[in-house]
């Protein structure tokens, strides 16, 4: 937390997200345990600067092959089709992959 944040915000940030239990030793496969019991990956691939097509497709494909299970994307990036194609072609069940925006 930054010293420029108001005290209440700093206190909330220091206590961690209110929606999850934060692991004590994060690693590549670390997850947050959400209050509903689901496990959400702490680390993921962001595709903000990835161009649509092979660049995004391969980045997502290789990230999933390497163990990532979270992809951060948005309609603004204009590469949704490439993200979706890589997820579909990965062979990993869709319910095991988090797509955030």
């Amino acid at each position: 937390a930054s010293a420029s944040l108001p005290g209440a915000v700093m206190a909330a940030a220091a206590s961690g997200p209110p929606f999850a239990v934060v692991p004590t030793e994060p690693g590549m496969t670390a997850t947050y345990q959400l209050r509903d019991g689901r496990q959400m990956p702490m680390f993921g691939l962001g595709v903000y600067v990835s161009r649509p097509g092979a660049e995004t497709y391969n980045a997502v494909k290789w990230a999933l092959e390497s163990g990532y299970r979270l992809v951060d994307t948005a309609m603004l990036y204009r590469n949704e089709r490439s993200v979706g194609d890589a997820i579909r072609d990965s062979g990993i069940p869709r319910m095991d992959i988090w797509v955030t925006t």
Side-chain angles (χ1 to χ4, degrees):
S2 169
S4 64
L5 294 175
V9 173
M10 286 181 60
S15 68
F19 53 84
V21 175
V22 180
T24 56
E25 294 187 31
M28 186 61 207
T29 59
T31 59
Y32 291 114
Q33 181 178 343
L34 302 180
R35 293 217 174 152
D36 66 5
R38 293 179 298 153
Q39 299 288 321
M40 181 178 179
M42 284 184 87
F43 301 102
L45 174 71
V47 294
Y48 173 65
V49 296
S50 298
R51 291 184 298 255
E55 181 176 317
T56 298
Y57 178 90
N58 287 327
V60 173
K61 178 178 175 261
W62 295 332
L64 293 171
E65 288 173 357
S66 298
Y68 283 80
R69 291 298 180 266
L70 184 147
V71 179
D72 178 53
T73 187
M75 188 171 67
L76 175 71
Y77 307 165
R78 306 183 69 99
N79 56 16
E80 315 98 315
R81 180 174 300 278
S82 304
V83 170
D85 289 347
I87 290 172
R88 182 197 62 228
D89 294 348
S90 73
I92 299 167
R94 175 60 184 86
M95 66 185 294
D96 293 343
I97 301 171
W98 290 75
V99 178
T100 61
T101 185

